[in-house]
Amino acid sequence: MTVTIYTKPVGCFGCTKTKQKFTDAGIAFTEVDVTTNQAAFEYITEELGYSQVPVVVYDKENSEDHWSGLNPAKIARVIEIEAAVRQGALA
């Protein structure tokens, strides 16, 4: 499982809250600053078709989900999936 959050470092409330929710849930993620990484900017705008950050890409077992903006329902779903995986690993 990987979570990548494409962000801009300043003035992005959605970016800050998205990262905080994943951090609070103990879910590791990679943060990519689209203001300094042109390839990442092109990926989220041209390939994925988004025009606002954050963009979250969740990849689990070669199945990818992605969204743009602060989306509490999608974040909660990823946290729920990962919590179930962790519980299964502990059982």
Side-chain angles (χ1 to χ4, degrees):
M1 175 281 301
T2 61
V3 175
T4 305
I5 306 173
Y6 296 89
T7 68
K8 63 181 188 175
V10 179
C12 179
F13 175 79
C15 299
T16 302
K17 291 304 285 183
T18 297
K19 294 184 297 183
Q20 180 183 5
K21 287 184 175 291
F22 281 119
T23 298
D24 290 350
I27 300 206
F29 59 86
T30 300
E31 181 178 2
V32 180
D33 179 352
V34 298
T35 66
T36 61
N37 185 324
Q38 185 63 32
F41 179 79
E42 290 172 3
Y43 171 68
I44 67 165
T45 58
E46 295 175 16
E47 190 169 327
L48 298 181
Y50 296 120
S51 59
Q52 85 176 53
V53 290
V55 171
V56 179
V57 178
Y58 174 60
D59 186 5
K60 182 172 180 3
E61 299 172 357
N62 297 320
S63 176
E64 186 177 273
D65 187 16
H66 49 82
W67 65 88
S68 175
L70 177 59
N71 190 326
K74 289 270 199 177
I75 295 168
R77 181 68 182 134
V78 170
I79 291 169
E80 180 182 296
I81 291 167
E82 290 306 309
V85 168
R86 289 179 186 168
Q87 285 185 350
L90 298 176

